Structures are given as structure tokens and as C-alpha cells.
Amino acid sequence: MKFRELLLICTALLSFSTFAAEEVNVQFNYEGNHGVDLSKIRGSFRVAEFTDDRGQENPWLITASELGNTAATGGYQAQVPVTEIIQDAFMQGFASGGAELVDAGEDMSIAGKLLSSEAQIIERDGVEMIQLTWRVNVQLQKGGRNIWQTTLFGRGRTPAADGMTATVYAALNRLINELLGDDYFLQEIL
């Protein structure tokens, strides 16, 4: 009986490792230049928590997509929940524009929901590329009510040789630039 139990455990572990997501260490540091002076935001501002509305059990999963002949047969996952990475990226984007962020007692806040995550291999000008698209719904809140919202498409596209980490960084940069390039959003906060 012990041999049979051992065999079942070994089979389960091998099956799990075959379909395990490849871990991607995301240490994003916003170095872009969105060109927006956020030092004059009307009132105090906070980047609130983001939720994961993708309908999956693994909040660390960047994408479940298998991309070509890689070891990532179960997709790619970060070292922390993806929503924390997105929230931190937005905080960095605001701080780079001179915004002074608060942790509580804010006049306005931005929160969001990660709606979907899709990745695929595409070819551009003969180069194999990883394309990652995150759809993120963002709401601006003031006085306990939503005063503005939109859905951003953070599409990162980088050469496959650069790996998933570079593609995640490109998607995060795109999310920041999409938000801070929205004139209606800027009218509400400045």
C-alpha cells in the first residue's frame, strides 16, 4: 500500500510541475516621461487597491497562455498578485509627475479592476514578439462617489528574446501613459 501511495504522490507532483506557470520576477520601476505636471492635483490623492475580476483562482497569474516552445506550459506568474503590481505602477506614475500621494484621508482616489489578461506570440517585421494585453477598469472617486471611469488597454509588445518581464514592463508603461494621457481624467484632477 505504501508503494501505491508513493506512486500517486510522485505522479501528482510530476503532473503539477509539467503544468506549472513559469515565475516572472517583476520589479517594475517607472522611468517613462508622461509629461504631466501632477503637483497641482486639487486636494489630497490616493491610489487605492485594485481588484482582480478575471474570474480565476490565481491572482499571481500574469497570463495562462502558453507561448510557443517555452517551459511555461501553465503560463506566467509574478511573485505577488498582479493587481499589486498594477497599483504600484500607477503610484510610481503619479509620483513621477510630482503628485504627493496619501495613504488615508484623501479628497480623491483612483481604484481599479483587472478585467482580463491575454498574451500571444505575434510576428512584426520578421521578429517574434510577445504581446500582453491587460484590460483595467479605472474609477476616479471623490466624496465617496465615482466621478469618472474608463477602461484602459495596457498592451505591451516586446521581442520574445527579451522575455515576459520586458513585456510586463511595456504593458505597465502603456497603462500609465493611457491614464495620464486622458484629457477628461486630467480635467477632473487638475
Side-chain angles (χ1 to χ4, degrees):
M1 194 68 134
K2 289 188 179 206
F3 177 73
R4 179 178 279 163
E5 289 172 0
L6 182 60
L7 184 61
L8 287 172
I9 290 171
C10 288
T11 303
L13 289 174
L14 285 173
S15 297
F16 177 73
S17 64
T18 301
F19 298 106
E22 180 179 319
E23 186 152 327
V24 177
N25 188 8
V26 180
Q27 300 294 326
F28 180 73
N29 185 21
Y30 182 71
E31 296 174 352
N33 180 14
H34 50 68
V36 180
D37 179 8
L38 298 170
S39 64
K40 296 180 173 89
I41 289 180
R42 293 185 290 209
S44 57
F45 196 83
R46 177 171 77 103
V47 177
E49 293 75 27
F50 281 64
T51 61
D52 193 334
D53 287 10
R54 295 180 291 173
Q56 62 187 28
E57 292 182 18
N58 184 352
W60 293 271
L61 201 61
I62 295 167
T63 179
S65 298
E66 298 177 18
L67 303 175
N69 296 326
T70 67
T73 57
Y76 297 84
Q77 75 176 22
Q79 74 280 9
V80 297
V82 173
T83 53
E84 288 181 23
I85 294 169
I86 293 171
Q87 178 187 10
D88 183 62
F90 277 116
M91 291 171 75
Q92 290 182 45
F94 277 90
S96 77
E100 292 188 33
L101 303 175
V102 297
D103 293 328
E106 69 279 358
D107 295 316
M108 287 185 287
S109 66
I110 186 170
K113 301 175 197 173
L114 176 59
L115 303 174
S116 70
S117 177
E118 300 169 359
Q120 61 184 340
I121 296 289
I122 61 171
E123 187 176 313
R124 291 283 193 255
D125 299 324
V127 177
E128 191 173 79
M129 312 280 279
I130 300 173
Q131 179 174 285
L132 172 67
T133 305
W134 280 332
R135 279 188 332 122
V136 179
N137 178 267
V138 180
Q139 308 93 38
L140 178 64
Q141 300 170 345
K142 182 177 182 179
R145 63 183 184 88
N146 284 350
I147 61 172
W148 175 90
Q149 75 172 6
T150 193
T151 299
L152 304 171
F153 291 86
R155 177 168 288 153
R157 187 182 303 136
T158 61
D162 293 348
M164 181 57 82
T165 302
T167 309
V168 168
Y169 291 1
L172 291 169
N173 277 309
R174 179 75 180 266
L175 284 171
I176 293 166
N177 292 333
E178 287 287 316
L179 178 63
L180 297 177
D182 187 302
D183 291 335
Y184 294 108
F185 174 71
L186 295 177
Q187 285 176 351
E188 293 292 341
I189 66 170
L190 297 177

